[in-house]
Each structure stands twice: as C-alpha cells, then as structure tokens.
C-alpha cells in the first residue's frame, strides 16, 4: 500500500512539474538562441564557408578595431579587445545570423565625448611618465579606457533595463526615414572628427551643439597649416580603398577570397613609416607600438557613472537602433525572424560584460567579427581613411532623399529635419526629434482620414474551376484595406493578411464548398502587431490569387509602401498572384519606385471586376462556379 501511494505521489509530482520544466526549456531557447541554431548546425555544409568568411572578416576587423579605438580617443589596442569579446557574447544571446557585434563608429564617437571631457589631453603631461603594470601602458591611457569602459557598462545596463521593461516592442516608432537620417548624420559627425588626421592639422577637441560647424570654421581659418604629405596620403588611401572594395563587390561571385585591402594598406603604410621615419621627417602622427596579450578583467570605475550618463544613453539608443536596423535587414533578406526585445538583451550584455575587459562601447555592424593583432607603427591618416571609407554605406543614404520625395514628401521632410538636428546637436537628439515628429504628424493625419466604408477590413472569397480539369480549384481572395497604412500598423497589416491567405489551409472543408468567414479585428489603426516574420507558405495545394482593394487606403507613408511591396514579392515567391485595385496615382507611383515590379505584368487595376477579369483571362478560367461575399 505504501509503495502504491509512493508511486501515485511520484506520478502526481511529475504531472505538476513537467509543464514547469517545459516552460523553463522554452524560456532558455528563447533567451539563448545559440541553443536553437547550434543543435541544427550542419558541419559538413557550413563549417568550411563559415571558416573562410570568418577569417576574411577577422582580417578586416583588425584595421577597423584600431581605427575605431582612435576615434574613441583611447589606445588602439583596446579596439582589438572590443572586436573580440562583444562578438562572442552576441553569438550566445543575439538573433541576427548575418551581423556581428564589435567596434562601431557611432558608439566610438559618442564615448569619445566622455573621454575627452573627463580625461583631456592637457592632463597627459601629468601622467605620461607613469606607467602601469597593465600592458605597459601609461596611467593616462588607462584613465581614458576606464572612462570608455564606464560608458559601455552603463549603456549596457540601460539596454538590459529596456529589455526588462519590454521596450523592444516600441521599435515600430523608429521609421525608416528616421533611422536613415540619424545614421547619416552620425556618419557625417564621424567623418568630421577625422578631418584633422586627413589634413594633418592640429585641431582642439570640439563638441557640443553646433560643434560640427565650429570644426570646419577652425579648418578654414587655419587652412595654411594643412600638411601636404598627410593630404596626399589620405587621398591615395581613400582612392585605393574605394577602388579595391568596388572591384571586390563587382567580382565577388567569381572570386572566392576577397582581397583584404584594409590590412594591405596598413602594412604598406607601416613599412613606409618605418623606412622614412615619417613621424620625425614630416611631422605626421603615428599610432605607435601595439602591446601583446589580454589583461585580466577589471571592474569599470563606478564613481564616474553619473558623469557619463548622457553618453551612456546615447550609446544605448543609437547603438541599438543602428544594430537593429542591420539585424532586421538581414532577417528580411534571408527569411528569418528577429526578436526586437531579445536584441536589447544581447547588446546590453555585450556592452556590460565586455566593459570588464577594457572594451569600448560596441554595436552590430555588417562585416565585423573577432580579431586580435599586434604590430608596430601606423599612420593615423591611413586609419582615418579606413574610417571614412567604412562609413560609405551610411553616407550614400543621401540617395534616399530622392525615394522619399517620390513616395511621401512628409517622410522627405522628416529625413531632412532629423539629419539637420543630428549634425547640429547629436545623433541621439536627432533620433528623439525624428520619433517625436513622426508620431505627431501621424496623430495629426489620422483624425482627418476619410474612408469609403465604416466597416473593418473584410474578406471576399471566390473559387474558380478550370474548364479543363474540374478538380483543380483556383482560389481568389479579395481583401479590402479600409485604413491608412503607415509605420504604426504596417506589421499588423502583414500579419493579418498572412492569416487571411493561410486560413483556407487550416480549413477542413472540401475544396468545392464555399468558405464563409469573417475577420473582425483586422488593421487596427494604432496597433503594431508583433508577429512572427517567418510566415508559413500559403496555398501549397491550390492555385491562388489575391486582390487588394485599396479604395479605403486614404494615406500612406514609406513604411506602408515598403510593406505592400514586400507582401507582393513574398507572395509571388510562394506562387500567389497579387493584384491591386482602386489605387491612387500617388500609390502606384510610390510602389513602382520602391519595388522591382515587373513592367510586363499588369498588377494595378481600376476596379475589382477588372482585376477579376484579368485573372479570368490569364488563367483561362471558364466560369465562376461559387461566389460568396461577406
């Protein structure tokens, strides 16, 4: 009897605790993405190409780590540490499969503000002669990296706090024009900070409001102090970097190994410096010796956290926004999902843990990976050229102005104003202004929206049978869009639309029956909808067509247009033909400009019957067998 009771109690305990164990396992898989992808990693197929890519990116990161450390006003060796530790931590907690965390120009520039303010160059004479036991560096260098590490630590803490508060779900407020303008403005600041190295000039550190203009005013006032040797070397370096990188991009499909021009240029410049004694002969600044080894971890100085809180918030917000944009872009391109809130945790821990290893603030950037390097002297004008060329992708975002002008002139105005605020004040100020401005404009536009129907979006479904094969059913779904389509509801729109397309697959009714169903909660105007981007493939067993009736689409922005184009391209890749009816001329023009639409295939029609007629003729359908409208 006792054994039976014990067995019964054991079974009861198992039933009570098994769900909790399963919940814990799901939580671990959700918070530790490495547990998901590592178990499915195909060594045979992926190990060799991943190894080759990792080596090439590591070589590239050596030069960029050195350059971004100089940008952060710390010793170059700390840029190498910042290339290693954040990448390892992000690999465990991050979800972006095609981005890597490490040193980043924007976060380096922000941390430099704190470094220059708390440990200015004027204090170097007091500490330069005193060396510490850490890598043989001076107290001055260690004080500077301590400030940068404190910025990284506090910025990471802020990001982790945002994760706990689930603020990642508010990223829908970060529209494409705002992110583009902010990153372009920040890149402009970075280029400006390198002018003194590119020209070989002595320029005092200038920051704060309108500091961008004060720097160039100082340059023009002292234009005679430009060193011709530095200018020529900088121009030659930029030309070589741009030319070789463009050739690598153009022939990347034909060549398996990309030429590491950054490293080649650094080696050539180092050899030239060594042979010509460029520092003493021409007076050019050089980086100097790079010590070997990794120092033991040390707690960042907590006493100065209150003094770097402004820079910490800048690192937390600007770094996260730039990183998330890259992660979402790669996820969209390679068809997988990224949890916005999980990215906060990944980048927060990357900054917090790395700060104990003398790392500058980090963020995700394409082409980054871990790397360590130890070498001799390097010219700073060459490192400045690497920074400038590395920001080419951000600087050419000026081309987005033409797109926004053709798609939505309000977005064009938001881009310009956000960029102006970013260069006049700071990237985080521009980001805040852009978000507030975007939300205010949308709130002002929504009350004036006029719709053609007071009903919510509804579904009308038609089933057409082929004359040749009565068993083959062609399904046509007509969806009425009855709300504005903007950044606030673009994701929700896609989620609801995918639900409509996939609904027939989950229905147990025979194909020849009429499916009557209604969607009552579609396209809530102010709902963002946190959906899984890995939409399952709809209509696998049927011929499908989708008609989007845009008669109720009263206004849109660039995010809404991009979502429509994305729906069109994704549906076509899944054998679902998409047509648009009752589109305004401005919507047609915007979609043609944003997307690579097939000019030979008509997809825009004056009415739903016209779209149905086109489907009927194209598919050679003989009759409309069943018809239901809800």
């Amino acid at each position: 009897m006792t054994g039976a009771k014990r067995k019964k109690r054991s079974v009861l305990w198992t039933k009570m605790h098994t769900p909790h164990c399963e919940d814990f396992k799901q939580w671990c898989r959700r918070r530790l993405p490495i547990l998901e992808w590592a178990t499915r990693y195909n060594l045979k197929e992926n190990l060799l190409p991943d190894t080759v890519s990792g080596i090439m990116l590591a070589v590239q990161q050596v030069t960029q780590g050195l350059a971004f450390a100089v940008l952060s006003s710390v010793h170059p060796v700390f840029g190498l540490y910042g290339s290693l530790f954040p990448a390892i931590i992000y690999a465990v907690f991050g979800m972006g499969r095609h981005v890597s965390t490490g040193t980043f120009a924007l976060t380096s520039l922000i941390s430099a503000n704190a470094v220059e303010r708390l440990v200015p160059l004027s204090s170097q004479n007091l500490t330069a002669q005193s060396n510490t036991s850490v890598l043989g560096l001076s107290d001055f260098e260690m004080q500077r990296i301590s400030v940068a590490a404190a910025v990284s630590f506090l910025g990471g803490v802020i990001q982790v706090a945002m994760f706990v508060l689930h603020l990642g779900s508010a990223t829908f407020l970060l529209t494409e024009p705002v992110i583009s303008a902010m990153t372009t403005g920040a890149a402009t600041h970075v280029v400006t900070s390198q002018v003194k190295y590119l020209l070989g000039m002595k320029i005092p550190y200038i920051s704060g409001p309108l500091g961008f203009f004060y720097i160039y005013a100082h340059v023009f006032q002292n234009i005679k102090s430009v060193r011709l040797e530095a200018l020529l070397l900088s121009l030659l370096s930029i030309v070589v970097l741009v030319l070789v990188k463009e050739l690598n991009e153009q022939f990347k499909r034909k060549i398996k190994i990309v030429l590491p021009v950054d490293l080649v240029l650094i080696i050539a410049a180092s050899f030239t410096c060594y042979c010509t004694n460029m520092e003493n002969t021409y007076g050019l600044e050089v980086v100097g010796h790079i010590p070997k080894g990794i120092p033991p971890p040390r707690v960042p100085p907590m006493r100065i956290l209150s003094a770097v809180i402004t820079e910490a918030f800048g690192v937390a917000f600007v770094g996260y926004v730039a990183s998330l944009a890259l992660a979402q872009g790669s996820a969209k391109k390679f068809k997988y999902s990224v949890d916005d809130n999980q990215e906060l945790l990944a980048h927060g821990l990357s900054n917090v843990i790395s700060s104990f290893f003398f790392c500058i603030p980090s963020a995700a950037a394409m082409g980054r990976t871990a790397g360590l390097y130890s070498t001799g002297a390097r010219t700073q004008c060459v490192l400045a050229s690497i920074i400038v060329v590395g920001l080419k992708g951000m600087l050419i975002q000026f081309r987005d102005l033409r797109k926004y002008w053709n798609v939505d002139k309000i977005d064009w105005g938001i881009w310009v104003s956000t960029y102006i605020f970013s260069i006049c004040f700071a990237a985080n100020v521009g980001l805040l202004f852009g978000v507030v401005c975007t939300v205010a404009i949308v709130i002002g536009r929504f009350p004036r929206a006029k719709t053609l129907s007071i009903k919510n979006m509804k579904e009308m479904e038609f089933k057409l049978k082929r004359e040749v094969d009565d068993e083959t059913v062609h399904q046509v779904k007509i969806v009425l869009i009855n709300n504005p389509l903007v950044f606030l509801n673009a994701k929700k729109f896609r989620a609801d639309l995918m639900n409509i397309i996939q609904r027939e697959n989950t229905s147990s009714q025979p194909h020849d029956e009429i499916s009557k169903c209604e969607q009552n909660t579609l396209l809530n105007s102010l709902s963002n909808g946190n959906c899984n981007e890995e939409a399952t493939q709809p209509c696998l067993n049927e011929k499908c067509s989708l008609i989007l009736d845009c008669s109720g689409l009263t206004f849109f922005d660039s995010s809404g247009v991009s979502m429509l184009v994305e729906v069109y391209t994704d549906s076509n890749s899944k054998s679902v033909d998409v047509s648009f009816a009752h589109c305004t001329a401005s919507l047609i023009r915007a979609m043609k400009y944003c997307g690579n639409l097939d000019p030979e295939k008509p997809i825009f029609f004056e009415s739903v019957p016209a779209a149905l007629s086109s489907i009927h003729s194209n598919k050679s359908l003989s009759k409309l067998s069943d018809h239901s409208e809800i």
Side-chain angles (χ1 to χ4, degrees):
M1 189 70 176
T2 304
K5 287 183 177 180
R6 189 174 299 170
K7 184 177 181 180
K8 183 177 181 181
R9 186 178 302 172
S10 176
V11 172
L12 181 61
W13 186 91
T14 303
K15 290 182 178 179
M16 291 177 61
H17 289 78
T18 299
H20 297 288
C21 294
E22 291 298 325
D23 293 342
F24 178 74
K25 290 180 181 179
Q26 292 180 2
W27 183 88
C28 289
R29 286 195 293 266
R30 189 168 65 250
R31 298 306 171 208
L32 297 172
I34 191 173
L35 298 179
E36 284 286 337
W37 63 261
T39 56
R40 299 196 303 263
Y41 190 81
N42 192 322
L43 290 174
K44 185 177 180 180
E45 294 183 3
N46 300 328
L47 183 60
L48 181 59
D50 284 351
T51 302
V52 173
S53 299
I55 292 174
M56 290 191 294
L57 292 177
V59 169
Q60 181 186 14
Q61 178 57 28
V62 169
T63 55
Q64 294 185 348
L66 296 170
F68 292 151
V70 173
L71 179 62
S72 192
S73 297
V74 299
H75 194 278
V77 71
F78 298 117
L80 300 180
Y81 304 154
S83 304
L84 174 64
F85 295 104
I88 296 175
I89 299 166
Y90 182 82
V92 176
F93 296 95
M95 298 187 69
R97 304 174 191 170
H98 298 83
V99 295
S100 181
T101 298
T103 54
F104 188 45
L106 306 189
T107 54
S108 297
L109 182 64
I110 293 173
S111 67
N113 292 333
V115 172
E116 294 288 350
R117 188 180 73 253
L118 298 179
V119 191
L121 282 173
S122 58
S123 65
Q124 183 175 7
N125 296 330
L126 302 177
T127 59
Q129 302 300 324
S130 176
N131 291 339
T132 67
S133 60
V134 180
L135 299 176
L137 298 176
S138 66
D139 286 335
F140 174 76
E141 294 292 354
M142 296 309 300
Q143 290 175 12
R144 287 202 148 196
I145 188 56
S146 296
V147 174
V151 174
S152 178
F153 175 82
L154 187 55
V157 170
I158 294 172
Q159 289 174 328
V160 173
M162 294 169 63
F163 160 77
V164 174
L165 297 174
H166 292 277
L167 295 183
S169 58
T171 54
F172 68 93
L173 296 173
L174 304 173
T175 62
E176 181 183 332
V178 172
I179 296 176
S180 174
M182 182 275 293
T183 53
T184 305
T188 305
H189 276 295
V190 174
V191 172
T192 301
S193 69
Q194 299 305 296
V195 167
K196 61 180 179 181
Y197 300 119
L198 296 173
L199 302 179
M201 298 178 63
K202 298 288 185 179
I203 301 178
Y205 186 80
I206 302 174
S207 62
L210 304 181
F212 172 84
F213 301 100
Y214 292 142
I215 292 175
Y216 285 105
H218 187 278
V219 170
F220 286 114
Q221 290 173 1
N222 301 273
I223 195 69
K224 294 182 180 180
S225 63
V226 174
R227 293 186 176 273
L228 183 60
E229 299 86 357
L231 178 60
L232 292 177
L233 184 58
S234 300
L235 291 177
L236 177 62
S237 300
I238 292 175
V239 170
V240 171
L241 286 169
V242 172
L243 181 61
V244 176
K245 286 179 180 292
E246 289 296 327
L247 291 175
N248 283 338
E249 184 68 21
Q250 185 174 356
F251 296 102
K252 63 181 180 181
R253 295 184 178 180
K254 297 182 180 179
I255 55 177
K256 295 184 179 180
I257 299 179
V258 178
L259 177 64
V261 62
D262 306 63
L263 183 60
V264 172
L265 189 62
I266 283 291
I267 294 174
S270 300
F271 182 76
T272 303
C273 286
Y274 179 79
C275 294
T276 62
N277 194 16
M278 193 172 291
E279 182 179 11
N280 297 323
T281 305
Y282 300 104
L284 299 182
E285 293 187 42
V286 298
V287 173
H289 178 69
I290 304 296
K292 297 180 180 180
I294 299 177
R298 178 184 296 180
V299 179
M302 300 298 168
R303 66 183 184 279
I304 65 172
L305 293 183
S306 59
V308 300
I309 190 170
T310 302
E311 288 80 9
F313 271 102
V315 166
F317 290 124
V318 175
Y320 172 68
V321 170
S323 302
L324 183 64
L326 288 171
Q328 289 178 338
S330 64
K332 179 180 177 180
K333 181 177 181 181
F334 296 101
K335 307 299 181 184
Y336 62 90
S337 63
V338 170
D339 186 341
D340 299 348
N341 210 51
Q342 178 65 23
E343 289 297 288
L344 276 173
L345 177 64
H347 290 292
L349 293 178
S350 295
N351 278 312
V352 170
I353 299 176
S354 299
S355 66
F356 288 81
F357 295 91
F358 303 95
C359 292
I360 59 179
S362 63
M366 197 67 70
R368 302 281 198 267
T369 191
L372 291 174
Y373 187 67
S374 178
T375 187
R378 296 168 178 80
T379 60
Q380 291 199 357
C381 55
V382 172
L383 293 181
S385 301
I386 292 174
I387 292 175
V388 172
V389 176
L391 294 172
K392 185 188 69 171
M394 293 184 180
L395 294 174
I396 62 176
Q397 289 180 133
F398 280 108
R399 296 184 302 184
D400 292 345
L401 284 172
R402 182 179 179 184
K403 178 183 75 173
Y404 296 131
W405 180 263
N406 287 277
V407 174
D408 185 14
K409 292 180 175 56
I410 292 180
D411 279 348
W412 182 89
I414 292 174
W415 197 103
V416 173
S417 58
T418 301
Y419 177 78
I420 292 175
F421 266 76
S422 296
I423 63 171
C424 290
F425 300 98
N428 51 342
V429 176
L431 178 65
L432 178 62
F433 170 82
V435 171
V436 173
C437 184
T438 302
V439 173
I441 289 176
V442 171
I443 291 177
R445 294 172 78 181
F446 260 111
R448 296 196 301 269
K450 298 179 180 179
T451 58
L452 300 181
S453 173
I454 62 174
K455 301 178 181 178
N456 291 326
M457 180 201 294
K458 295 183 178 180
E459 174 187 354
M460 294 181 295
E461 181 179 296
F462 294 85
K463 290 189 175 180
L464 307 177
K465 289 187 177 180
R466 290 184 184 275
E467 184 178 14
V468 179
D469 185 2
D470 290 338
E471 295 183 357
T472 302
V473 178
H474 187 89
Q475 178 183 347
V476 180
K477 288 180 177 288
I478 305 176
V479 176
L480 171 63
I481 305 176
N482 201 43
N483 281 293
L485 188 56
V486 293
F487 71 96
L488 289 173
N489 63 347
K491 287 185 178 179
K492 183 65 162 55
F493 164 79
R494 186 182 187 278
D496 292 336
L497 193 58
M498 290 300 103
N499 288 336
I500 285 180
I501 297 176
Q502 297 169 31
R503 181 180 302 155
E504 183 67 16
N505 291 339
T506 61
S507 175
S508 60
Q509 297 180 2
H511 289 304
D512 57 348
E513 291 185 3
I514 301 174
S515 176
K516 297 183 178 181
C517 47
E518 181 174 358
Q519 182 77 11
N520 294 320
T521 58
L522 294 177
L523 280 183
N524 185 349
S525 300
L526 297 177
S527 174
N528 176 44
N530 228 350
C531 62
N532 182 4
E533 299 294 337
E534 294 184 5
T536 56
Q537 294 189 3
C539 306
L540 294 177
N541 299 321
E542 299 181 4
K543 299 292 185 178
C544 296
S545 292
L546 174 66
I547 299 176
L548 293 180
D549 185 353
C550 302
S551 57
L553 183 55
T554 51
F555 69 85
F556 53 86
D557 63 3
S558 58
S559 298
V561 174
S562 298
M563 188 58 68
L564 286 175
V565 173
E566 181 181 341
V567 167
Y568 173 77
T569 54
D570 287 351
S571 299
N572 277 348
S573 65
K574 298 169 183 175
S575 301
V576 178
D577 294 329
V578 181
S579 302
F580 300 88
H582 295 117
C583 296
T584 61
S586 59
L587 178 60
I588 296 175
R589 183 173 61 251
M591 290 187 64
K592 288 182 177 180
Y593 192 87
C594 284
N596 296 322
L597 306 180
D598 187 1
E600 303 296 331
K601 181 180 179 181
I603 61 172
F604 299 103
F605 300 93
E606 295 182 356
S607 63
V608 173
L612 284 171
S613 178
S614 175
I615 294 174
H616 183 278
S617 59
N618 290 338
K619 301 297 182 180
S620 301
L621 299 175
S622 60
K623 60 181 179 178
L624 185 64
S625 59
D626 293 310
H627 171 238
S628 64
E629 177 177 350
I630 302 176

